[in-house]
């Protein structure tokens, strides 16, 4: 709704500049403008109308509209200053447009940063035509073997890369308000890494942009208010590297063939659970996957570093599966909840739904059209 209101503001504000054009050329009786306007200046009022209309259309098309919008605002404000007593209230509209333009430009810069990071993430992905065969699974614990078979990856192409879309809600404290979010994530599997970009709604017109990444064994988190003000920027620490590696391991439920990667070591526990240990980039993380009788993953549990009351501590971290869905013939968890099992009680902080999942389509990922779809400007 806010998006259409802003486009409407640009449209109406632009059309009002036609009054200057009409005044200059003597079209009609215009009591709104008392001061005379020379014809050459009147043409500039008409040009301002055209620029605002183009800006509004580009905005609705989710294009880089702010370049045109900035020129329109500068021209408009210069014209308003010439007839200040008659048109001074147009300054308010110009201020709104320039503020939204600055935020939109910051969003664009944030998206371009992610584009470069994803290109780097996929730079070492060569890919091949290897097919997942039944004999590849023989060394896995029986319960993991059963899950991989049930997922449907046998007989399909080896997984090298992935892109997934998510939506859901998150909160920062046990009794905190749930905040809606949407996200797109890119995953590399041969050389493990991911890049997760999200927009979290705080209130109408206010949001956080965030990016988590794991690459070359290093984890990093970046959060900005309106893509402008840095709120959190942390990375490279032992705790962060362990946490992002552990997240990567837990999210292997979306890429069943990844259990065959050499950096993951499996150990059978019983008929319904198995321990996975991942070693990469000087870090190590271990977690336990739980399964039901049908062979589906029901949960993943591990000890993970988290920030609580300003201090990092190692706490039990649990992902629970709430629903399954087939994506391009692969059966994976589609709804998840993530909970910290704290001494003070359970803190469920994330409810997530997977809305799309693609594999081995790297060239299309790098078009980045879906970043704009998932993270439209305000």
């Amino acid at each position: 709704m806010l998006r259409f209101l802003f486009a409407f503001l640009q449209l109406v504000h632009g059309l009002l500049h036609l009054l200057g054009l009409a005044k200059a050329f003597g079209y009609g009786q215009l009591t709104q403008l008392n001061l005379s306007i020379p014809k050459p200046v009147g043409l500039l009022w008409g040009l301002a109308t055209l620029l605002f209309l183009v800006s509004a259309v580009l905005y609705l098309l989710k294009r880089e509209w702010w370049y045109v919008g900035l020129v329109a605002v500068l021209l408009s404000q210069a014209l308003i200053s010439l007839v200040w007593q008659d048109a001074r209230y147009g300054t308010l509209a110009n201020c709104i447009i320039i503020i939204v333009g600055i935020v939109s430009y910051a969003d664009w810069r944030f998206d371009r940063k992610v584009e470069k990071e994803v290109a780097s993430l996929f730079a070492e992905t060569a890919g091949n035509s290897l097919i997942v065969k039944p004999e590849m699974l023989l060394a896995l614990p029986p319960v993991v073997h059963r899950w991989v078979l049930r997922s449907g990856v046998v007989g399909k192409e080896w997984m090298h890369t992935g892109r997934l879309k998510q939506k859901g809600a998150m909160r920062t404290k046990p009794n905190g308000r749930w905040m809606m979010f949407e996200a797109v994530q890119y995953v590399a599997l041969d050389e493990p890494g991911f890049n997760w970009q999200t927009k979290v709604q705080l209130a109408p017109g206010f949001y956080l942009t965030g990016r988590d990444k794991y690459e070359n064994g290093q984890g990093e988190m970046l959060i900005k208010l309106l893509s402008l003000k840095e709120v959190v920027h942390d990375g490279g620490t032992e705790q962060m590297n362990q946490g992002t590696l552990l997240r990567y391991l837990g999210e292997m439920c979306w890429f069943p063939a990844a259990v065959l990667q050499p950096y993951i070591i499996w150990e059978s526990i019983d008929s319904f659970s198995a321990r996975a240990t991942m070693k990469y980039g000087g870090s190590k993380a271990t977690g336990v996957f739980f399964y039901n009788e049908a062979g589906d993953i029901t949960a993943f549990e591990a000890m993970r570093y988290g920030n609580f009351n300003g201090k990092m501590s190692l706490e039990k971290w649990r992902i629970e599966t709430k629903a399954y869905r087939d994506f391009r013939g692969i059966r994976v968890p589609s709804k998840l909840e993530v909970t910290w099992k704290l001494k003070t009680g359970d803190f469920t902080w994330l409810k997530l739904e997977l809305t799309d999942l693609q594999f081995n389509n790297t060239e299309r990922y790098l078009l980045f059209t879906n970043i704009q779809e998932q993270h439209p400007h305000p």
Side-chain angles (χ1 to χ4, degrees), residues 58-224:
L58 290 175
Y59 177 82
L60 287 174
L61 293 175
K62 301 178 184 178
R63 306 291 183 180
E64 288 75 22
W65 67 275
W66 51 88
Y67 297 109
V68 178
L70 176 61
V71 174
V73 166
L74 292 176
L75 176 58
S76 170
Q77 199 57 40
L79 294 170
I80 288 173
S81 67
L82 297 177
V83 289
W84 180 256
Q85 291 300 320
D86 296 334
R88 62 185 181 277
Y89 294 112
T91 300
L92 177 59
N94 282 336
C95 289
I96 294 173
I97 293 169
I98 199 67
I99 290 171
V100 176
I102 291 171
V103 174
S104 294
Y105 177 70
D107 276 346
W108 180 81
R109 288 287 301 272
F110 195 88
D111 288 343
R112 300 291 81 75
K113 173 182 174 64
V114 173
E115 287 184 13
K116 293 179 181 179
E117 291 176 346
V118 175
S120 173
L121 180 66
F122 289 154
E124 302 301 322
T125 300
N128 56 54
S129 56
L130 184 67
I131 301 298
V132 179
K133 298 180 180 180
E135 54 267 29
M136 295 179 178
L137 313 181
L138 296 179
L140 295 172
V143 67
V144 182
H145 188 170
R146 183 174 59 188
W147 163 58
V148 177
L149 286 177
R150 181 167 171 76
S151 71
V153 299
V154 174
K156 294 184 173 62
E157 185 181 6
W158 182 270
M159 295 176 177
H160 304 287
T161 61
R163 185 194 64 191
L164 50 89
K165 293 182 181 181
Q166 306 164 337
K167 66 178 182 180
M170 63 173 64
R171 57 183 178 178
T172 58
K173 52 186 178 181
N175 296 319
R177 180 177 61 87
W178 288 100
M179 300 175 291
M180 306 305 294
F181 76 91
E182 292 184 341
V184 58
Q185 179 166 319
Y186 300 86
V187 180
L189 298 167
D190 292 338
E191 295 295 331
F194 68 79
N195 194 298
W196 183 77
Q197 184 184 8
T198 187
K199 178 175 284 187
V200 183
Q201 295 298 328
L202 301 178
F206 290 88
Y207 56 88
L208 296 171
T209 48
R211 190 272 289 128
D212 286 350
K213 74 171 184 177
Y214 175 70
E215 186 177 3
N216 298 323
Q218 300 291 307
E220 183 182 275
M221 175 188 295
L222 175 63
I223 301 174
K224 289 188 173 185

